Amino acid sequence: MLKNESDKMVDKIEGGSTNKIVKIFILFFIVAICCLVLNYHSNTYILEFFPNSNKSILSKNLSTYDSNISGKKSSTQENYLTYSKKQKIKLKKVLKETAMRDKTVIITTLNAAWTAPNSIFDIFLESFRIGNNTKSLLKNLLVVAFDQIAYSRCLEIHTHCYALITKNVDFSGEKKYMSGDYLKMMWRRTDFLRIVLQMGYNFIFTDADILWFRQPFAHFYSHVDFQIACDYYLHNSSNPNNAPNGGFKFVKSNNQTIQFYKFWNKSRRTYPGKNEQDVLNIIKYSPFIKKIGLKMRFLDTSYFGGFCEPSKYLNYVCTMHANCCIGLDNKIHDLRMAINDWKNYMALPDDERNSYKYTWSLPRICG
């Protein structure tokens, strides 16, 4: 009798111990999962939780985020630029010298093929000189050279030049569209623009095969973080189905755009073999954009036209892009035609020039 009672007591104690162990294990498991989730979100959206933080804290968080990303190995190996202290000082100096009062700088990128005499670079600069109140903007134009030849040529004819030269990579020749070197160059450009944003500068990025005929500021949206020109415009600046072209964009420096540029660059690994514009066309629908609160708009081709969809009237146009055109010689030929159209237009009497009669005679080869 006593033995049976004793056995029952032992069983009860052992059962209680087992239940206790199971409960402790479940509690430990829940805590571990919560830690993993919090760690993931802190790495991915590190700025989301500090919308009103001061600049020093944000800068520290951005540095941590950069080191986390750069520490991960990837097949691209060029996802993020590494900058020495000397390079950062030089870039900060040239940005400060070039920027407008509101810390906005106009940026273009070039290699040797595009800076050769009588090539794209010369036509690009000429458009500023003959445009309507655009000559003064040359002092705010930063030319970023991908190779030493382009950098030397820039120094000969322009005030603000910066060398973005990649070791063991030759970016000097004409790069065939979508070739390996072309893709490297486009992604290098995208990440350079991220660095400009992180240094606190807004930028208007312009391809060098874009002619500037009028100042664009009146046609930018005032409370928008990221606005971009289009190959084809659907007459609704908020419609994500517009076909954006990365050759012309106005981007403000803030938490949202910095996060977006990191996401954009990171998406290169998700969509290998695509250029930055093709990837943008995919990620513009991403929930991440809404999550970080990025305001994105698309610019009307009436003001920011191109060979794909020329702005209809010369008395509206701000810029003309040699898009929908492959081949340096083809671009040069039709851009020169656009320059001539503009010169003829500007030579007209004021009353004729202000009418709606005059449009482009281009393109002949492109388009």
Side-chain angles (χ1 to χ4, degrees), residues 74-258:
S74 81
S75 58
T76 62
Q77 296 182 354
E78 291 181 335
N79 241 16
Y80 288 90
L81 289 169
T82 54
Y83 259 44
S84 66
K85 186 176 180 180
K86 185 177 179 181
Q87 287 172 312
K88 286 180 180 178
I89 291 171
K90 188 173 181 181
L91 180 56
K92 284 181 180 179
K93 182 176 182 291
V94 74
L95 286 170
K96 185 177 181 180
E97 291 171 349
T98 312
M100 303 170 194
R101 288 183 181 179
D102 66 349
K103 298 188 75 174
T104 297
V105 60
I106 302 169
I107 298 176
T108 193
T109 53
L110 291 161
N111 67 354
W114 282 42
T115 55
N118 301 313
S119 189
I120 290 286
F121 190 30
D122 289 324
I123 299 172
F124 176 68
L125 295 179
E126 183 183 0
S127 73
F128 280 88
R129 297 188 189 104
I130 67 172
N132 189 353
N133 294 320
T134 53
K135 187 176 181 179
S136 62
L137 295 177
L138 286 172
K139 67 179 182 292
N140 306 118
L141 171 66
L142 175 61
V143 176
V144 178
F146 282 118
D147 58 81
Q148 187 59 49
I149 297 172
Y151 181 60
S152 299
R153 166 71 171 152
C154 178
L155 291 173
E156 291 174 5
I157 60 176
H158 188 63
T159 306
H160 304 299
C161 307
Y162 181 77
L164 183 63
I165 298 169
T166 308
K167 290 182 179 179
N168 303 318
V169 181
D170 180 12
F171 283 141
S172 61
E174 182 180 356
K175 301 305 175 187
K176 188 177 179 182
Y177 181 68
M178 294 305 290
S179 66
D181 280 352
Y182 172 87
L183 292 174
K184 288 178 184 177
M185 198 158 60
M186 293 302 99
W187 284 109
R188 174 54 56 96
R189 180 180 82 180
T190 303
D191 201 46
F192 172 79
L193 295 175
R194 171 189 64 87
I195 291 172
V196 172
L197 293 173
Q198 285 192 236
M199 288 185 172
Y201 288 88
N202 317 312
F203 63 79
I204 301 171
F205 178 80
T206 172
D207 274 344
D209 62 345
I210 293 179
L211 305 178
W212 282 57
F213 293 130
R214 286 188 179 87
Q215 292 198 11
F217 307 106
H219 304 291
F220 289 148
Y221 299 95
S222 57
H223 301 295
V224 172
D225 306 309
F226 178 96
Q227 41 201 309
I228 186 167
C230 299
D231 286 336
Y232 302 99
Y233 182 66
L234 301 178
H235 304 287
N236 180 344
S237 65
S238 300
N239 189 342
N241 292 321
N242 283 300
N245 187 299
F248 187 91
K249 45 191 173 282
F250 176 39
V251 186
K252 294 179 181 177
S253 173
N254 57 36
N255 301 340
Q256 290 76 21
T257 56
I258 291 168

Side-chain angles (χ1 to χ4, degrees), residues 306-308 310 323-325 333-334 337 360-367:
F307 292 170
C308 299
N323 52 8
C324 290
C325 186
H333 179 275
D334 281 2
M337 289 185 63
W360 304 98
S361 61
L362 59 89
R364 294 286 175 83
I365 298 177
C366 302

Side-chain angles (χ1 to χ4, degrees), residues 35-47:
C35 289
L36 286 171
V37 170
L38 286 172
N39 181 60
Y40 170 77
H41 282 285
S42 66
N43 284 337
T44 306
Y45 308 116
I46 195 161
L47 295 181

